[in-house]
């Protein structure tokens, strides 16, 4: 999360959707590269540093969207978003252990990289608010 300020600034400048999708793609690529790592140094760089940067780019826009979409129940919405990440980590750990036992660590990383497509798809659901405070485009004729 050390890249949070950078990803927040980029989200404001280029849009939460774009930065979230970019972050998810960085995670996908870095996990695939991790599965082919031949030494500990390259594994550290790809799985720690690059995946961390991608995670920050994927996570921060979601928090920005919560603050834009929710005003009266913002604390509840933030709590749900944060607990969803924790619940996902619990499931991910068990799934990862299972995949390592059945496929090996390299193939389990490749499976997880493929599962990141879910984050790319959900990144497309981030709709910016128009000046009236509703999601979507301000001009319906643009569809």
């Amino acid at each position: 999360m050390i890249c949070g300020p950078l990803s927040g600034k980029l989200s404001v400048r280029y849009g939460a959707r774009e930065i979230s999708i970019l972050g998810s793609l960085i995670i996908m690529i870095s996990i695939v590269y991790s599965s082919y790592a031949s030494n500990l140094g390259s594994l550290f760089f790809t799985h720690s540093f690059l995946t961390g940067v991608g995670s920050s780019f994927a996570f921060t826009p979601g928090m920005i969207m919560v603050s834009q979409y929710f005003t009266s129940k913002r604390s509840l919405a933030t709590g749900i978003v944060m607990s969803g990440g924790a619940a996902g980590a619990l499931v991910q750990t068990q799934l990862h252990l299972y995949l390592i036992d059945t496929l090996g660590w390299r193939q389990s990383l490749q499976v997880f990289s493929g599962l990141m497509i879910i984050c790319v798809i959900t990144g497309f659901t981030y709709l910016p608010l128009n000046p009236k405070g509703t999601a979507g485009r301000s001009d319906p004729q643009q569809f």
Side-chain angles (χ1 to χ4, degrees):
M1 292 295 123
I2 199 165
C3 293
L6 174 63
S7 60
K9 195 83 155 159
L10 291 172
S11 294
V12 170
R13 182 172 181 155
Y14 297 107
R17 177 188 308 163
E18 289 78 3
I19 300 305
S20 175
I21 292 169
L22 174 66
S24 298
L25 291 172
I26 290 171
I27 295 169
M28 288 177 73
I29 292 167
S30 66
I31 292 175
V32 167
Y33 281 143
S34 295
S35 73
Y36 291 105
S38 60
N39 59 52
L40 192 57
S42 61
L43 182 62
F44 177 77
F45 177 73
T46 57
H47 202 66
S48 296
F49 180 73
L50 290 179
T51 302
V53 170
S55 295
S56 180
F57 280 26
F59 176 78
T60 304
M63 296 309 298
I64 291 171
M65 295 305 288
V66 167
S67 69
Q68 289 179 348
Y69 271 72
F70 298 93
T71 53
S72 63
K73 306 250 184 202
R74 185 176 296 156
S75 59
L76 176 63
T78 301
I80 291 170
V81 168
M82 299 297 290
S83 65
L90 289 173
V91 171
Q92 178 182 345
T93 301
Q94 295 305 313
L95 179 60
H96 203 57
L97 289 173
Y98 172 76
L99 290 173
I100 289 171
D101 288 341
T102 57
L103 302 174
W105 71 273
R106 292 182 189 272
Q107 286 77 22
S108 76
L109 288 175
Q110 293 168 1
V111 169
F112 268 93
S113 178
L115 290 174
M116 285 301 299
I117 196 70
I118 296 168
C119 294
V120 172
I121 292 168
T122 57
F124 281 104
T125 66
Y126 290 173
L127 298 176
L129 296 178
N130 63 28
K132 295 178 183 176
T134 58
R137 300 178 190 257
S138 56
D139 181 13
Q141 299 300 323
Q142 291 180 336
F143 288 106

